[in-house]
Amino acid sequence: MTELVGEESARPSRCRSCRFPLYLQVLLAVLLGVLIGWQFPDVAKHEWMKTLGTGFVRLIKMSIAPIIFCTVVSGIAHVGDAARVGRVAIKALIYFESVSTLALAIGLLVANLIQPGRGVHAKPDEAAIDG
């Protein structure tokens, strides 16, 4: 009986599809989505597709807050030293502020140089505004 357990544990427990890297699986899924959308554009007009997309986005939104909370709590719990946690928090805050400011500056610069929407003389739909 012990030999059987030892033989099973010697086998790789990973499935065959797990050997294919995750980033390649994602790229393949995106490529398949583009090809299906290009070949069969009417599929996107079905109500079930809208429901599926809305459900997916809600699922992602629901998952983000607990993941971030658990990551922060786990990181703080593993540090141990309160002063070190404070230093990391200050560095993270400075990094967040500087990257956000840089992204805002790039967005404003690109919007002022390219001026997207210039030349589009669209009139708003009155029914959409009132409703």
Side-chain angles (χ1 to χ4, degrees):
M1 181 75 182
T2 58
E3 292 177 16
L4 182 62
V5 173
E7 288 176 10
E8 287 181 5
S9 64
R11 293 180 188 163
S13 62
R14 297 174 61 185
C15 61
R16 183 175 170 91
S17 66
C18 295
R19 294 183 192 151
F20 197 56
L22 181 61
Y23 72 93
L24 288 178
Q25 292 177 19
V26 171
L27 289 176
L28 181 65
V30 169
L31 181 64
L32 284 174
V34 168
L35 289 175
I36 290 172
W38 179 49
Q39 291 296 322
F40 308 104
D42 292 336
V43 173
K45 295 177 184 176
H46 293 293
E47 185 64 29
W48 63 268
M49 186 64 80
K50 180 180 178 186
T51 305
L52 184 67
T54 304
F56 178 74
V57 169
R58 288 181 180 172
L59 181 67
I60 295 297
K61 284 182 179 180
M62 181 183 68
S63 303
I64 288 174
I67 289 173
I68 291 174
F69 175 75
C70 290
T71 303
V72 169
V73 168
S74 175
I76 291 173
H78 284 91
V79 170
D81 184 19
R84 189 169 176 200
V85 171
R87 286 192 303 268
V88 170
I90 294 294
K91 288 178 186 176
L93 186 62
I94 291 171
Y95 175 76
F96 172 76
E97 289 295 331
S98 51
V99 169
S100 298
T101 304
L102 179 65
L104 179 64
I106 290 172
L108 288 172
L109 181 69
V110 169
N112 285 323
L113 290 177
I114 296 177
Q115 296 179 353
R118 181 182 41 165
V120 176
H121 302 292
K123 294 182 182 177
D125 184 17
E126 296 296 327
I129 294 173
D130 294 335

